[in-house]
Amino acid sequence: WAVGEGDSARRAGVRVGRTLDRGGSPARVSEPKPTVLVVDDAPENITIAAGALSSRFRVRAATTGAHALTICRSADPPLLVLLDVVMPGMDGLEVCRQLKADPSTSSIPVIFVTGQSAEAEVDQCLALGAAEFIFLGDWLPTMDLRPLLSFPWW
């Protein structure tokens, strides 16, 4: 049990305060991993990203823009969205546009991860409110997490 838990923390399933084991001694409580939503129409890209991220993050996945919006608007939204630009149906630009237009999701940072390298596309993504733009060709070989960990929400 936890001493000093607030109602909002209990509803969110987060333990706060001092946790005691059965003998009354302080117990270790692991902090929940932050959730990252990986959105890509290519399942192999999701698998690669999830493999690299799962040691530090809880990874959720969506293969369509509509599914990504549903997850972001859920009771358990991600802390960060890694979003492919080019997808069939609703592309990443439209997903980002809708996320930023909705007050319930506008604060979720979006990092575009794409194989495209057109400067105009980068400018368009950033103009829509993206926090960062990562070129897949540069990122996949190393899966360098520094761009994800350098933001103030960590």
Side-chain angles (χ1 to χ4, degrees), residues 2-125:
V3 177
E5 286 185 337
D7 288 337
S8 62
R10 269 195 304 277
R11 281 194 301 274
V14 177
R15 289 185 166 198
V16 295
R18 188 176 53 153
T19 303
L20 306 177
D21 66 14
R22 291 176 191 230
S25 301
R28 289 185 88 177
V29 175
S30 62
E31 292 293 320
K33 292 180 183 179
T35 301
V36 173
L37 173 61
V38 179
V39 186
D40 199 311
D41 60 310
E44 60 274 10
N45 289 345
I46 291 173
T47 300
I48 291 168
L53 299 171
S54 62
S55 67
R56 304 249 343 226
F57 304 98
R58 176 178 164 233
V59 179
R60 295 189 70 188
T63 56
T64 67
H67 188 207
L69 291 172
T70 299
I71 291 171
C72 289
R73 292 173 177 149
S74 73
D76 183 25
L79 189 63
L80 172 70
V81 176
L82 294 178
L83 181 59
D84 186 16
V85 176
V86 180
M87 297 187 296
M90 185 186 305
D91 66 10
L93 298 173
E94 182 58 27
V95 172
C96 186
R97 189 176 290 111
Q98 289 192 33
L99 287 173
K100 297 306 174 183
D102 183 339
S104 71
T105 60
S106 63
S107 65
I108 300 173
V110 174
I111 296 179
F112 278 101
V113 181
T114 187
Q116 307 295 321
S117 61
E119 191 172 319
E121 187 174 73
V122 174
D123 293 341
Q124 188 177 13
C125 292

